Amino acid sequence: MEKKKVYMVLLLILLLGAFLRFYNIGKESFWLDEGLTGLVIKKFNSGQIVENTYKGGQILPGYFVSNLDLPIYYILVKIWTNLFGITEASVRMISAIFGSLSIVLVFFLGKELFNEKIGLIATFFFSLNITMIEYSQEARLYSMLVFITLLSGYYLLRFLNTGRKLYFAIFIISNIVGIYTHYPYVFFILFEAAYVTYLIFSKYGLNIPALLHRRNKIMGAHLKKIYFGFAVLFFAYLPLISRLLNPKLVPAHFSGTASISNFAKMFVQLNGWIYPSPEAISRLKNAEFGSFAIGDWILVMSFGLLALLLLGLFILGIWNRNYKKEQLSYVLSWFFVPSLIASVALFSTISSFGSVRYIIFVVPAYIVISSYGISKLNIRISTIALLLFACFSIAPIVSYYSNVNNPQYREAAEFIHQNIKDGDVILANIESVRVPLEYYFGDSEKIYGISNVEDINLGIDKKFIWLVSSMTVYSGQSDDIR
């Protein structure tokens, strides 16, 4: 394919993916974690954000028991909202921008590893991936994390292939940003270190003189620089290790059990997710499949077939023997090494299982491997597979934009504002619900978080008490306001 045509196709895919990431971005209320982002931005300036995370590892002191928060994402959002204001759309727009830029990086990653065709296929898959769309419309750090991961992974490859100082600098800076954005990001850096070590010894074994030979294009002149870079990253991570070894987590992080079904759910989310109507959610929860409407069946079957298609292509990409071993080993390591390390390291924080967000940096690798798989099919079958992928993606995407996915804290706060009287108080059925309520309602002195019935006896002598009850009903993120 001519370069002009390649970049024209890339532009069309980028426009489609960006549209999906910006469309209706301010429609939904903030959910719990987004409410935390919003409240942090409202209450603190950039200096206070750094101070809060430095002193106690808590981005919102007094609300949660935790010491694992990091500052960079919140500082970036604070700077952004100083320019564009604090609304659902403006706060989420940071994620949409990172999500759109990630589409471009996926192309260059696929091109660098294999060729432009695989890069375009990966970009197409990535642009329509519901999980990537959702996190690109969420006021949380995960879309930014995917972008940083792609930046680091791509420029590590570029440095290994060219030795350019600029690529090395981007690799180091992006990883330092990742380190101070999210604790699990270190799992990705461990993959990079493991891959470089594997690459060295797969080429030279224990032949140290050959390893260090100055004429060695990849490892000779650049070996010291590569490991110097990892040493820099290690020292950058040192201030965080004490908290990582003695973590304080909110109780919800320890809820549930690690199970095959939770691992399966996490794997399924690599392909996307479904967002049914409230009626369909009820039917799904109660396994009332006989009551499914035609639209319910179309949604469930479309996503099921989509997941099976990508899984099949992923397996084909792994097992096909006609491949460039070095390139495929890179992207396979990218997928499997962080996933395995995270599974072991996060085993005690049981609630992380069943959500792909803790290993979201492996999604690009999964998509590139699936794209490599489709490239091994003949033109007719690969064209059919691409058309099926596009068709199977329609119902999940339409469902995502059509249905309410988040708890309606904004609407609840507006209703209470219109009806509350002097002396009334508001009780949230769990402590964390106080955060989005306070973001929207604004008067923290009227809002109390409770964890059980006994907590209602707060020594409050009021004429009227408002109770806002939130409970998980579907995906582990969506809540229902009563």
Side-chain angles (χ1 to χ4, degrees), residues 21-239:
R21 283 152 178 78
F22 282 92
Y23 178 71
N24 265 353
I25 197 169
K27 174 187 172 185
E28 296 274 355
S29 299
F30 285 153
W31 68 288
L32 292 178
D33 286 5
E34 288 184 302
L36 181 147
T37 300
L39 193 56
V40 167
I41 301 310
K42 272 191 172 184
K43 289 175 74 72
F44 305 115
N45 58 40
S46 297
Q48 291 169 326
I49 289 171
V50 173
E51 183 180 2
N52 290 340
T53 52
Y54 174 75
K55 286 184 176 180
Q58 176 50 253
I59 203 70
L60 200 59
Y63 290 78
F64 299 102
V65 178
S66 173
N67 65 347
L68 297 181
D69 286 333
L70 295 166
I72 287 185
Y73 167 76
Y74 300 99
I75 292 172
L76 184 61
V77 176
K78 182 66 180 181
I79 294 170
W80 178 267
T81 54
N82 284 342
L83 297 173
F84 299 102
I86 305 177
T87 65
E88 289 89 345
S90 65
V91 178
R92 288 171 176 154
M93 204 169 290
I94 288 281
S95 295
I97 292 171
F98 280 122
S100 300
L101 292 175
S102 294
I103 295 172
V104 180
L105 284 178
V106 167
F107 168 75
F108 285 106
L109 177 67
K111 177 186 173 185
E112 184 71 18
L113 284 167
F114 300 106
N115 55 50
E116 291 175 338
K117 176 184 176 182
I118 294 176
L120 287 175
I121 294 171
T123 304
F124 183 58
F125 285 172
F126 188 87
S127 67
L128 296 183
N129 184 281
I130 290 290
T131 299
M132 294 295 97
I133 293 172
E134 179 189 5
Y135 285 120
S136 295
Q137 293 202 317
E138 186 174 284
R140 297 297 292 155
L141 52 85
Y142 303 107
S143 181
M144 175 180 172
L145 203 65
V146 171
F147 173 78
I148 294 167
T149 299
L150 282 163
L151 202 64
S152 171
Y154 172 68
Y155 280 103
L156 172 61
L157 276 179
R158 295 293 290 147
F159 174 72
L160 291 175
N161 291 335
T162 66
R164 290 190 60 184
K165 293 179 181 179
L166 175 63
Y167 300 153
F168 178 75
I170 296 174
F171 163 71
I172 294 297
I173 293 170
S174 59
N175 274 332
I176 291 175
V177 172
I179 285 171
Y180 284 93
T181 298
H182 197 41
Y183 269 89
Y185 185 81
V186 70
F187 304 149
F188 179 76
I189 296 178
L190 290 175
F191 137 70
E192 292 180 314
Y195 175 77
V196 170
T197 303
Y198 157 78
L199 188 62
I200 291 170
F201 286 100
S202 67
K203 286 179 175 291
Y204 303 103
L206 296 175
N207 188 344
I208 303 301
L211 202 79
L212 298 174
H213 198 283
R214 57 187 175 86
R215 289 178 296 177
N216 184 325
K217 290 183 180 180
I218 294 180
M219 297 303 165
H222 314 316
L223 178 61
K224 291 181 180 179
K225 188 176 292 186
I226 291 172
Y227 279 102
F228 171 77
F230 284 118
V232 169
L233 297 178
F234 173 77
F235 283 108
Y237 203 79
L238 271 180

Side-chain angles (χ1 to χ4, degrees), residues 302-351:
S302 292
F303 179 69
L305 292 170
L306 176 67
L308 288 174
L309 174 62
L310 285 177
L311 176 60
L313 294 173
F314 177 78
I315 294 172
L316 182 62
I318 291 175
W319 291 110
N320 192 289
R321 295 183 179 182
N322 299 318
Y323 60 75
K324 298 178 180 179
K325 182 178 178 181
E326 189 174 295
Q327 286 86 337
L328 189 58
S329 65
Y330 181 77
V331 74
L332 283 173
S333 301
W334 183 331
F335 179 78
F336 284 108
V337 172
S339 298
L340 292 173
I341 295 174
S343 297
V344 173
L346 299 176
F347 188 81
S348 61
T349 54
I350 303 300
S351 68

